[in-house]
Amino acid sequence: MAPAADPVWELVLSLHLLQGRSADPLMANWRRTVARGLHQDSASDRLRLLFALNPPRGYFPDFLTPYQSLQGFEAGLEALRGMPAETLHRDLTVLAGENELPSSASALARGEPEVLRHLTDSMVQYQTLAITPYWPRIQAAVEADRTRRARALLDGGVEGLLTSLRPAMRWDAGVLEVLDYPDTRELHLDGRGLLLVPSFFCARTPVALLDPALPPVLVYPVDRLGGLLREPGRGAGPVPDGTNREALAALLGRTRAAVLEATDQGSTTGEVARRLQISAAAASQHTTVLRNAGLLVSQRDRNTVLHTLTPLGRAMLDA
């Protein structure tokens, strides 16, 4: 399981969402804000190659999401800048079979360092506009999903974890089947591990790399937890120095401060009620208030609701 949201995968998949025709209301404000920023900054021309490499539907090059991005954004960009020319040429040949590419794609296919630097610079520019202002909420959604998968692993082992990936995927008789995948193919691990990458910007269908020789990666969508309805920056921010448990209790009330602490490692409504010896209705009311304040996120799984801390909730608890 990826240790956190992967910044390169989020960037690439957000480009598909930005250019697509999805009417997802949870992302409408983000799309308008980013489109307006691209227009005002006159960034469209500078990002032309980046957009061309990421069409809204169909194939996009495997080299755009190197495995090293697991270590962070800069590690991913460094791997991309050092990508072998044969890899670039192979992937771009596949892409050109379905899409019209700008002239700079030819130089990219030859591995020319200047074009590779231009590509990674454009990724940094786009990230600053479209990803960084929303990163706390992206992290919160991914961390909530990781907590959910961790509980599934503890309760049911690896099979419990893989079973928890429904409805987008189905685990049956040693096979993890991705439902509604755009083409039919099999990937045999042959003893290799499978990296699961929870993603905020992944659409309804999980994503895998085309080249079976690459380290196996499966990117899957997380619950967007309200999406990006609010303006960037709202609902997250630093906690003043000197905050402690007494100050937190004075701010939230002792019961809500205790509820916040009870969700430190993720808790269901029933677990919060049992730990604090309050009714389930009271626990639900308190978690609702904390969620509306941006301190918790909640995910429903059949008959239970799992509550986890947002980055702001974590900061308040840890300060």
Side-chain angles (χ1 to χ4, degrees):
M1 179 70 69
D6 187 307
V8 177
W9 271 107
E10 295 296 350
L11 183 154
V12 167
L13 294 176
S14 77
L15 282 162
H16 303 169
L17 188 64
L18 181 65
Q19 300 177 86
R21 298 179 180 178
S22 170
D24 186 349
L26 298 179
M27 304 303 295
N29 182 69
W30 172 81
R31 294 178 71 174
R32 284 194 300 269
T33 302
V34 173
R36 185 168 59 246
L38 290 171
H39 177 72
Q40 291 176 347
D41 193 35
S42 301
S44 300
D45 290 340
R46 295 193 298 274
L47 302 181
R48 186 184 177 200
L49 176 60
L50 179 62
F51 275 83
L53 296 177
N54 290 280
R57 292 176 302 279
Y59 172 78
F60 62 95
D62 288 343
F63 68 74
L64 283 175
T65 53
Y67 197 82
Q68 292 87 338
S69 66
L70 190 65
Q71 307 302 321
F73 188 57
E74 185 51 45
L77 297 187
E78 186 64 28
L80 182 51
R81 285 189 285 265
M83 196 64 61
E86 56 268 25
T87 299
L88 298 168
H89 182 269
R90 180 200 62 202
D91 289 1
L92 288 171
T93 298
V94 176
L95 183 65
E98 302 176 356
N99 301 272
E100 183 177 351
L101 300 180
S103 58
S104 55
S106 298
L108 180 62
R110 294 191 295 270
E112 295 187 9
E114 183 178 350
V115 181
L116 281 165
R117 283 194 300 271
H118 169 76
L119 176 60
T120 55
D121 287 348
S122 68
M123 292 173 72
V124 172
Q125 181 183 1
Y126 176 81
Q127 186 205 40
T128 301
L129 174 66
I131 305 296
T132 301
Y134 306 92
W135 192 244
R137 271 172 260 166
I138 295 169
Q139 284 182 306
V142 169
E143 187 56 38
D145 185 87
R146 279 173 40 82
T147 299
R148 178 181 175 186
R149 306 307 166 196
R151 291 174 66 92
L153 180 65
L154 286 172
D155 292 342
V158 173
E159 289 201 357
L161 168 62
L162 296 175
T163 300
S164 76
L165 295 171
R166 62 181 189 279
M169 291 174 271
R170 178 170 57 211
W171 170 250
D172 182 40
V175 175
L176 183 62
E177 180 182 3
V178 178
L179 307 178
D180 298 324
Y181 204 73
D183 64 343
T184 301
R185 58 190 174 97
E186 293 184 358
L187 174 62
H188 296 274
L189 297 181
D190 297 325
R192 299 174 295 172
L194 173 67
L195 176 64
L196 296 172
V197 181
S199 168
F200 186 91
F201 282 105
C202 184
R204 182 173 59 89
T205 304
V207 180
L209 299 173
L210 180 64
D211 185 356
L214 292 172
V217 174
L218 185 61
V219 183
Y220 67 91
V222 302
D223 291 340
R224 289 185 176 141
L225 307 173
L228 300 179
L229 292 168
R230 294 174 291 178
E231 291 297 320
R234 292 191 59 189
V239 177
D241 292 338
T243 301
N244 53 32
R245 289 296 190 273
E246 290 73 22
L248 189 61
L251 176 65
L252 299 177
R254 292 195 176 278
T255 301
R256 282 183 189 151
V259 170
L260 193 67
E261 191 163 13
T263 58
D264 187 15
Q265 300 300 321
S267 295
T268 65
T269 305
E271 289 169 344
V272 170
R274 287 192 294 273
R275 290 175 186 174
L276 303 184
Q277 297 184 332
I278 59 178
S279 69
S284 178
Q285 181 184 31
H286 290 309
T287 55
T288 297
V289 172
L290 294 171
R291 180 173 63 253
N292 291 340
L295 304 181
L296 292 181
V297 292
S298 304
Q299 289 182 310
R300 178 171 293 279
D301 185 7
R302 289 176 291 183
N303 296 326
T304 62
V305 178
L306 180 65
H307 309 285
T308 55
L309 295 174
T310 65
L312 178 59
R314 168 73 58 192
M316 291 190 68
L317 195 61
D318 290 346

